[in-house]
Amino acid sequence: MILRTPTPDSGPAVGDDAPDPLEQTHVGWSRRAPLRWQLSLVTAVMVAVAVGVMTVVAYWTVSTSLTQHVDRELEDKASSLLQNSFDPAFVYNPAVEVATFKTYNPDIRVAYYPPGSVRPIGDSIPILNEVEVLQGTRDNSVRSSGDERIFAEQNKIGATVILAQDMRGTHQLISSLGLVLLLIGGIGVLIAIAAGMVVATTGLRPVSRLRHAVDHVARTDDLRPITVVGNDELAQLTRSFNGMLAALSASRRRQAELVADAGHELKTPLTSLRTNVELLMMVDRQGGASISQQDRRDLERDVIAQIEELSTLIGDLVDLAREDGPQQIVECIDLVECMETSLERVRRRRPDVTFTFNSTPWFLYGDPFALGRAALNLMDNAAKWSPEEGEVRIDMEQVRDGVMELRFSDSGPGIPVEDRQKVFERFYRSIAARSMPGSGLGLAIVAQVIARHAGTIVAEESDDGGAMMRVTLPGAPSVADERDN
């Protein structure tokens, strides 16, 4: 046998996992055809299968019933004829009795075998299974031969009757019945297609309404909720879509607020920076106004401070946008190590403030960079409000199973009660805080990070009248316990 290797241009060889053209055609049609046509086709196919099965069953049932009815009639007539064979007149002249029987049953051929005789009286009927009846090994037999139904029976004295019933009328009746059933089945399939179209159109009307509503949202950018009709699966889908629209609207509103607030916050330092830069440029021009060296140094310091303020604000905006985006960094975090790293950075910034840190081992899964930034913001905020030679106290305490509490306390003026909920809002700055450097985004970023790690944060008053930020985070005292959780 010679095996031929298919060339690159010869297509896939037989037996390869090549795509079936019929399957590709079916898939392509199902993707292109409207859903109502697909539903109608499925309905028609199911009805056609059901009608086909019922037609076959009905045809077989009627055909079998008619054949059994003919067999019972033949058996009754054969028994009647054999019963008459005990009559002396029948024994004397059986040919007359057979002729009389045929007169009343013209569609039946009769062959009568007297006891011990091998020659029939009446019609000549070919025998097959009837041999066993003639030999006495069987009481009766029945079979079909062409258009005839042949029945044979023997009585106690050895007389045998073979009857051949003409079945052409019965077969014609059965054929007519099959044709009628086939016609009814075809009409049923057509009705099923029409009914499927009606059902599909009616059932898909809510889908069409939802599609038009979605198209309207895409075309007009109108995020108003879609009207919910009923309480079925499509109504639930509409509610889910309305939830998505609400989330999209809230996200867009937050983005607009962020842009508006960011523009407002950026406008003030930019205006001051432009004024100071223009003043310095005016001084540097030949023949321009002159100012003292002290005033010039003050202007330069203001410019640097405003640039730093802009840089801080932009950095906070970037952090805030990062927190609003998808988060993918998840690893087991040593919270004590994370806190110590942030503490080292803030100590370098405020060497005039004393920091005390009471740690407790704690591990949790999350974003180490985000948690470190949140801890640094809380420490920076506490140091900013603490006076010179003040103290910032950071305490870690496990309050219950799976929950760690962190407290950031300072010795500053504290936060008024009416402002304690608002300090976590974006760009919110209390009246007392407006004279201090900052963007009003630090605590908002902290709140988002804590919430993303399934924690909570509240603003309270510290023991010495300053501010205290109370943070709770889930986790476990050891890495093994956290992995088990």
Side-chain angles (χ1 to χ4, degrees):
M1 180 182 296
I2 300 176
L3 298 178
R4 297 184 61 187
T5 303
T7 62
D9 296 334
S10 63
V14 177
D16 292 349
D17 294 334
D20 187 355
L22 295 177
E23 183 178 356
Q24 286 185 331
T25 302
H26 171 70
V27 173
W29 182 87
S30 65
R31 290 179 178 176
R32 294 192 303 267
L35 184 57
R36 62 170 57 90
W37 280 105
Q38 297 184 40
L39 293 177
S40 301
L41 178 62
V42 170
T43 303
V45 169
M46 294 180 64
V47 171
V49 171
V51 170
V53 172
M54 293 301 298
T55 300
V56 171
V57 171
Y59 182 85
W60 178 81
T61 301
V62 173
S63 176
T64 303
S65 298
L66 289 176
T67 302
Q68 290 177 350
H69 177 70
V70 170
D71 291 344
R72 285 193 298 269
E73 286 188 343
L74 290 175
E75 183 179 4
D76 292 340
K77 291 176 181 179
S79 299
S80 176
L81 192 58
L82 289 175
Q83 186 67 29
N84 291 335
S85 65
F86 293 97
D87 189 351
F90 187 97
V91 175
Y92 177 74
N93 194 357
V96 175
E97 297 295 333
V98 169
T100 304
F101 177 85
K102 292 186 63 176
T103 302
Y104 290 102
N105 301 277
D107 58 342
I108 299 178
R109 294 193 300 151
V110 182
Y112 174 71
Y113 291 84
S117 175
V118 295
R119 297 178 62 84
I121 298 173
D123 299 311
S124 177
I125 300 176
I127 60 175
L128 290 176
N129 299 339
E130 295 77 16
V131 173
E132 297 179 356
V133 178
L134 290 172
Q135 294 175 349
T137 57
R138 292 178 59 180
D139 293 335
N140 55 54
S141 68
V142 61
R143 64 182 177 89
S144 295
S145 176
D147 290 330
E148 290 183 322
R149 187 72 171 171
I150 299 176
F151 180 84
E153 184 176 1
Q154 188 179 72
N155 62 8
K156 297 179 180 180
I157 62 174
T160 304
V161 171
I162 300 177
L163 303 179
Q165 171 77 53
D166 187 0
M167 297 288 290
R168 282 178 292 184
T170 303
H171 289 166
Q172 185 177 2
L173 177 62
I174 294 174
S175 299
S176 300
L177 175 63
L179 182 61
V180 170
L181 290 175
L182 185 62
L183 181 62
I184 293 175
I187 295 174
V189 171
L190 295 178
I191 295 175
I193 294 176
M197 285 293 295
V198 173
V199 171
T201 302
T202 304
L204 293 176
R205 188 173 292 121
V207 176
S208 179
R209 184 169 56 248
L210 180 60
R211 180 178 61 82
H212 289 308
V214 172
D215 292 341
H216 175 75
V217 170
R219 186 175 58 256
T220 63
D221 208 21
D222 183 3
L223 300 181
R224 286 180 297 179
I226 302 172
T227 303
V228 179
V229 180
N231 195 31
D232 53 7
E233 289 79 3
L234 290 174
Q236 296 174 7
L237 177 62
T238 305
R239 293 190 185 94
S240 299
F241 190 80
N242 286 339
M244 183 185 68
L245 288 180
L248 181 60
S249 178
S251 176
R252 180 175 295 177
R253 184 173 60 253
R254 288 195 302 268
Q255 291 178 359
E257 291 174 354
L258 178 61
V259 172
D261 293 339
H264 176 74
E265 293 295 327
L266 288 169
K267 185 177 180 179
T268 301
L270 279 174
T271 303
S272 301
L273 180 62
R274 178 179 179 178
T275 302
N276 290 333
V277 171
E278 288 177 349
L279 183 56
L280 287 173
M281 291 173 62
M282 186 184 301
V283 170
D284 288 339
R285 289 196 188 104
Q286 185 176 3
S290 62
I291 60 174
S292 64
Q293 291 295 325
Q294 181 62 38
D295 291 340
R296 185 185 183 91
R297 284 193 294 270
D298 290 342
L299 283 174
E300 291 173 351
R301 280 196 300 269
D302 286 345
V303 169
I304 293 175
Q306 287 153 4
I307 292 175
E308 290 178 351
E309 184 179 355
L310 281 173
S311 178
T312 301
L313 178 58
I314 292 172
D316 288 343
L317 288 172
V318 171
D319 290 341
L320 193 63
R322 183 183 293 113
E323 288 304 316
D324 282 340
Q327 309 296 328
Q328 297 180 351
I329 301 176
V330 177
E331 60 183 67
C332 188
I333 304 169
D334 184 345
L335 188 58
V336 175
E337 180 181 349
C338 182
M339 296 284 290
E340 289 176 344
T341 302
S342 299
L343 186 57
E344 289 179 6
R345 295 177 60 185
V346 77
R347 275 175 174 162
R348 289 194 295 268
R349 298 178 185 179
R350 289 296 304 273
D352 57 323
V353 175
T354 302
F355 294 87
T356 59
F357 179 37
N358 298 317
S359 63
T360 300
W362 199 253
F363 297 86
L364 72 156
Y365 279 94
D367 185 347
F369 178 77
L371 275 179
R373 185 173 64 246
L376 182 62
N377 284 350
L378 289 172
M379 295 177 189
D380 268 335
N381 191 67
K384 180 176 68 174
W385 290 101
S386 294
E388 292 186 4
E389 306 303 328
E391 182 183 9
V392 173
R393 299 172 300 280
I394 306 167
D395 301 295
M396 295 179 63
E397 180 184 359
Q398 183 177 352
V399 292
R400 58 181 182 273
D401 289 342
V403 178
M404 169 60 68
E405 183 178 271
L406 297 90
R407 296 183 293 274
F408 300 80
S409 306
D410 60 51
S411 303
I415 303 175
V417 177
E418 62 273 13
D419 292 334
R420 290 178 183 174
Q421 292 293 332
K422 300 178 182 179
V423 294
F424 300 107
E425 298 177 3
R426 297 176 177 181
F427 296 106
Y428 178 79
R429 302 183 72 186
S430 63
I431 297 176
R434 290 172 187 172
S435 60
M436 300 288 290
S439 62
L441 291 175
L443 290 179
I445 296 173
V446 170
Q448 286 188 220
V449 172
I450 298 301
R452 186 159 57 86
H453 288 78
T456 62
I457 180 171
V458 292
E460 298 178 358
E461 185 178 349
S462 65
D463 295 337
D464 54 359
M468 180 178 70
M469 296 295 172
R470 188 186 301 273
V471 178
T472 61
L473 287 171
S478 66
V479 177
D481 293 339
E482 175 62 7
R483 287 176 179 171
D484 291 341
N485 293 336

